[in-house]
Amino acid sequence: IQEAEDKVKSFQHRDKIELHLIGHLQGNKAKRAVELFDVIQTVDSIKLANRLDNYSADIGKKQRIFLQVNAGADPKKQGFSPEEIILASSEISKLPNIILEGIMTIPPHGLPEEKLRSVYSQTRRIRDKIRSETNNNCQCLSMGMSDDFEIAIEEGATHIRVGTALFGERPQ
């Protein structure tokens, strides 16, 4: 949030930029996220979705979101489990100030290609199930980063995250 606050000040044409939040969002920063971002890609709990809905109502906004699924069962990653995301998507889709546009995943680091492809394929199937059974608006699929985006695209990604390829490694 703080990094975006600093950078957004330098955007000369903010109205022409679709700004996505990628990364764990702490509940205490949800209000500022609603104010700053067009899309919040890492909604990982019903509690967070409810907070975003309330803050969106306060400012008269329909907040676009992606649900994060931990399809790789990585204990270091946030997100709904594949087993709980369908029910969660149904509940979140009822929130009046939330627009569920997609699903996103961040796989465990260093997976072999076959396992990585399996994680991405499973994520696509989850999105397809949500789209057909719960929320037809859930069209987007955000998966793949600089080192694996080709596989993600082959498995159906509509959004890829290639910041490292464009800007280099982030400072620690």
Side-chain angles (χ1 to χ4, degrees):
I1 300 294
Q2 186 174 357
E3 184 178 355
E5 285 178 320
D6 293 340
K7 289 182 178 180
V8 78
K9 294 172 189 169
S10 67
F11 295 164
Q12 293 181 0
H13 302 286
R14 172 63 181 98
D15 59 323
K16 297 180 180 172
I17 296 170
E18 184 174 276
L19 197 57
H20 288 236
L21 173 65
I22 300 170
H24 180 65
L25 176 59
Q26 298 171 340
N28 64 341
K29 297 184 180 177
K31 180 178 181 181
R32 193 64 184 129
V34 167
E35 294 167 350
L36 281 171
F37 294 94
D38 301 302
V39 180
I40 299 173
Q41 280 204 26
T42 46
V43 176
D44 59 9
S45 71
I46 292 172
K47 181 179 178 180
L48 178 59
N50 280 313
R51 279 190 181 192
L52 296 172
D53 181 65
N54 290 333
Y55 293 134
S56 297
D58 290 346
I59 63 171
K61 179 180 183 180
K62 299 289 186 191
Q63 181 63 59
R64 299 160 49 207
I65 68 165
F66 291 11
L67 298 181
Q68 182 173 356
V69 61
N70 188 349
D74 186 344
K76 298 177 185 173
K77 300 282 192 302
Q78 306 292 323
F80 294 97
S81 73
E83 297 75 30
E84 67 187 357
I85 194 166
I86 303 299
L87 183 59
S89 71
S90 178
E91 190 169 330
I92 290 168
S93 293
K94 295 173 187 172
L95 297 174
N97 301 294
I98 295 293
I99 300 170
L100 174 56
E101 290 191 347
I103 303 299
M104 72 88 66
T105 195
I106 302 171
H109 184 68
L111 289 180
E113 182 177 333
E114 182 178 310
K115 180 64 177 160
L116 182 64
R117 191 173 294 281
S118 174
V119 168
Y120 288 157
S121 176
Q122 178 186 23
T123 305
R124 183 190 68 246
R125 288 191 305 273
I126 290 167
R127 188 275 320 260
D128 292 349
K129 184 172 182 159
I130 291 170
R131 186 173 59 189
S132 68
E133 296 178 11
T134 304
N135 186 328
N136 189 48
N137 196 55
C138 187
Q139 302 286 325
C140 300
L141 190 55
S142 176
M143 54 188 195
M145 295 188 276
S146 295
D147 58 350
D148 64 5
F149 69 89
E150 295 97 342
I151 296 167
I153 291 169
E154 289 171 5
E155 293 299 329
T158 61
H159 293 69
I160 56 173
R161 305 173 300 266
V162 293
T164 301
L166 295 172
F167 306 112
E169 292 288 333
R170 293 177 59 87
Q172 296 299 325

